[in-house]
Amino acid sequence: MGNVQEKVDREVLIRTLEGEESFRRFQPAAAGEWEEYILAQSSQATGGLASVPALLQRNATLYADKDAYREKEFGIWQRWTWAETEKEIEALALGLINLGVEEGDFVAIIGRNRPYFYWSMVAAQSVGAVPVPVYNDSAAEEMEYILGHCGAKYAIVEDQEQVDKIIEIQEHLHQFKHMIYIDPRGLRKYDHHALHEFSHIQNQGRAAYDEWITDLQERRAKLTYDSTCVMLYTSGTTGKPKGVVLSNRNVIESAKNSSEFDNLGAGEEILAYLPMAWVGDFIFSIGQAYWTGFCVNCPESPDTMMTDLREIGPTYYFAPPRVFETQLTNVMIRMEDAGPLKRRMFRYFMDLAKKVGPNILDGKPVGGMDKLKYKLGEFFVYGPLKDTLGFGRVRVGYTAGEAIGPEIFEFYRSLGINLKQLYGQTEATVFITAQPDGEVRADTVGVPSPDVEIKIADNGEIFYRSPGTFVEYYNNPESTASTKDAEGWVATGDAGFFEEGSGHLRIIDRAKDVGKMADGSMFAPKYVENKLKFYPDILEAVLFGNGKENCVAFINIDLTAVGNWAERNNIAYASYQELAGHPKVLDSIQSHVETVNKSVAADPMLAGCQIHRFLVLHKELDADDGEMTRTRKVRRVIVADKFKDLVDALYDGSTTVSTETEVTYEDGRKGSIKATLELRDAAVVSTAAKVAAE
Amino acid sequence: MSTQESYVTEDGRTIGPTVMEMKNITLRFGGVKAITDISFDIREGEIRAIIGPNGAGKSSMLNVISGFYVPQEGEVWYKGAKRPPMKPYEVAQQGIARTFQNIALFEGMTVLDNVMTGRMRQMNAGLLSQAIWMGKAQQEEVENREFVEKIIDFLEIQAIRKTPVGRLPYGLKKRVELARALAAEPSILLLDEPMAGMNVEEKEDMSRFILDMNDEFGTTIALIEHDMGVVMDLSDRVVVMDYGKKIGDGTPDEVRNNQAVIDAYLGVAHD
């Protein structure tokens, strides 16, 4: 009780300092009442909680001694409570003011998920600047575009690698002033005129407390629901990245609605491992974390992510389908190497789980015997497996970004992991639709999220309007106007439809990718590609055929899965290229293609998209070569252009083709690889025959 | 050659006075002269390379420094005093750590345990305290573990912390060995062919670690290396050996233009 009163006193003090009368009048009687009051205040989005820094102030009082951040470093989970976090951010914010950061300045933030970078974002917001997180694996010229486009004057970066990149492009960035780095290693000898160590900036901030604290408080008080919260550059499947401006309203309302949708509370644990420049990470690790007060855990290094996941055991988890796929592939590979007893047990209980697991998860009736056996399975197989994967405590799990294979999706659900799908984009501050508990399926993306309105245009394109709808594309009124209309409806660029009965949304493809075949039937490449990608040995597929008589495809094998298969079958190979061209690999891919053709033919609307000819590419499609976005979506146009000779060869009927491809190494150097590829025909189901059969 | 004043290199590192000096070292195995009358010095904070063709006597030289071989003639001076013949462990206690050409790690132990063995010199708790793991032993373990974790972080081997060394690929084993040597907080670190058998990327990583180590901890490094490109980029000064004799000594540029060195590497007829 005394503790609560203390907290209240402190809060009143803070608010008084900030000149907010409303807080002084409130004298709470009990802890619950106080919490209720705070939440009531926030849901009305009053002046006090109209920004992320304001939420931080609330959390520092309400959850003072609760962990806000953890990061594994030196083998130990280092922790910061909300009260400590507030102090760290304040010191940094004062340091930024001391350095000369002004309201409205853009501050680029470049690094992997670490508490320091999350603090940097909130500190930037506190001083009225706009944080711009940038993908840390971007090449220097990509960074140059983004930093030049927003006119960033400051950058907070991780280490020597990022510092070197910025120095390389600095002469083209006339507005650029100062850079702050976290890890001093290797940087001691650098010219420190415009280069500062993170901890020094914080120390300077602490030292200049008296000088700048009033300034900081004034700046913080000026933040409103309509101030810019963050600017995120969309990866852009076409053209240059665009800076999406999100306001505090966008972020806080979306965080609030989505937290309520899944009953997220202060007790959740998440692992922050997805790129900080991606809107999802911003919403989970800042939006929802600050709204609900839950704890954000940062892995030790990208390589230790799986171990860290296991140690933390998050209760709320997000991953793109690729991560789930990789994990499943690893489980299957390791099971192949297990002893016969373990293998039999695994198979038996997985079959059972497949049958009854999803129903048990959805709370549907299941026979008593099956229930008992499932319990036994939980003890012997599911429990230990979930624990190994780090999913032992997951209460809400999401996947989004791409379609997930039904088998993969069912696998996790059958284990009792509440994995769901959502559909969203940067411009919507993530949430457009999501699956409510108990209504989860692999082929839909759920119902509209709270406060989101959706309409579908005649051509199938999905439009939405919500409190999360972005403000604008920075410095790009044309793109803003062509995406968001006067009434606030935003074009997603995706084609889809609402399923009758369930009211769930189903996505077909990117609206602009949906085309027409020469005979006028529908061409929906992604629909077919996804079916191919559901095979573990196919990593990527690219379908061509818009405006043509028939379709052809490029296929990328998955090195882990195919490599393991090769090892078990005594197939020797020296390189990715050699394995990709192996006749037995081609045979197996061909059989997948033919199975997919049968499945595609079953849908009369899309029967024209069957694959007539295909080839297996000699290199993996890669973001460094511009063939994919940083979030690993295929850039269709660029691939078609770069491998034009291969597409032509697929259409002109030749059986082999020699080609040379330029590749970019991670350090930016270029090289080239030569290959002779075999082109194969795949059996197709004749649609005419099918009509006749029916 | 061995002036005692400190100076600052082009890239801003301070090179101090001589810490180790080899005076007229001759080493024989029976009738074979492995090293003939070689003198050179190592200065504090520098990266000193010993290069030479196969069989030139480089590894023997390193073994003399580490106390593994006792030369028949000549003197080893360390920190201003003449060093009496010593056992390798006594040399290690003086602050000289090394890695081996053909990796000498405990294969069955984890990376962490292997690196911890590098802290032996810093553990002084008594047998009883160690056995029941209380008091001083426990406190020591915590302190040393903290130090080891910093090294693990520094060499970016967090992901394999708990992996048995036997399961690691060659390049990583080399890095673990480096970590163990570094854990001993050496004043001189001897590296015997740190890049042998590595691909270009691994070599680049290793070079960066060597430079960072020198920069961050101020460790004096003496290394033997075959790869000329690497040596010339990394070192402050280079000793060149051929057939057990010193044929050159100086900065990479001086050595590169030394006729005797060019002959030894490109090969000329020996009369």
Side-chain angles (χ1 to χ4, degrees), chain A residues 74-75 185 189 300 303-304, chain B residues 11 149 154 161 209 212:
Chain A
F74 305 129
R185 176 168 167 188
K189 297 171 291 194
E300 187 168 21
D303 304 333
T304 59
Chain B
D11 54 1
E149 283 295 342
F154 183 80
R161 189 185 281 125
F209 287 130
D212 282 354

Side-chain angles (χ1 to χ4, degrees), chain A residues 546-656:
Chain A
N546 197 11
K548 303 268 191 180
E549 293 291 321
N550 49 44
C551 290
V552 297
F554 286 175
I555 285 167
N556 250 179
I557 56 165
D558 184 317
L559 188 60
T560 323
V562 181
N564 191 266
W565 167 85
E567 202 177 305
R568 273 184 286 118
N569 290 284
N570 282 326
I571 293 170
Y573 63 98
S575 63
Y576 179 89
Q577 192 181 337
E578 193 178 327
L579 186 63
H582 196 282
K584 280 202 174 154
V585 173
L586 292 177
D587 287 345
S588 127
I589 299 291
Q590 181 162 7
S591 74
H592 295 332
V593 170
E594 284 165 3
T595 319
V596 165
N597 279 346
K598 278 185 202 133
S599 139
V600 171
D603 191 335
M605 210 162 73
L606 294 162
C609 298
Q610 291 184 70
I611 299 161
H612 285 69
R613 280 163 65 76
F614 74 94
L615 61 82
V616 174
L617 279 177
H618 51 297
K619 77 176 276 287
E620 226 174 284
L621 297 178
D622 196 339
D624 286 337
D625 292 327
E627 292 148 351
M628 293 183 126
T629 66
R630 290 277 160 208
T631 47
R632 301 198 60 92
K633 288 179 190 159
V634 172
R635 286 182 160 136
R636 199 171 292 284
V637 183
I638 292 175
V639 172
D641 186 53
K642 185 167 178 179
F643 299 103
K644 194 173 179 308
D645 53 336
L646 301 183
V647 181
D648 291 345
L650 280 168
Y651 277 113
D652 70 17
S654 45
T655 55
T656 59

Side-chain angles (χ1 to χ4, degrees), chain A residues 72-76 160 183-189 300-301 303-304 307 666-667 669, chain B residues 11-13 145-146 149-150 153-156 158-159 161 200 204 208-209 212 215-216:
Chain A
K72 196 169 183 191
E73 202 178 20
F74 305 129
I76 293 173
Q160 190 180 16
D183 184 358
R185 176 168 167 188
L187 289 167
R188 200 159 297 161
K189 297 171 291 194
E300 187 168 21
S301 77
D303 304 333
T304 59
T307 329
E666 263 178 36
D667 60 2
R669 281 180 303 173
Chain B
D11 54 1
R13 293 175 308 127
R145 171 73 187 268
E146 197 180 332
E149 283 295 342
K150 288 203 173 115
D153 183 68
F154 183 80
L155 292 174
E156 294 166 13
Q158 302 100 328
R161 189 185 281 125
V200 178
E204 278 177 359
R208 188 165 57 84
F209 287 130
D212 282 354
D215 192 34
E216 204 83 345

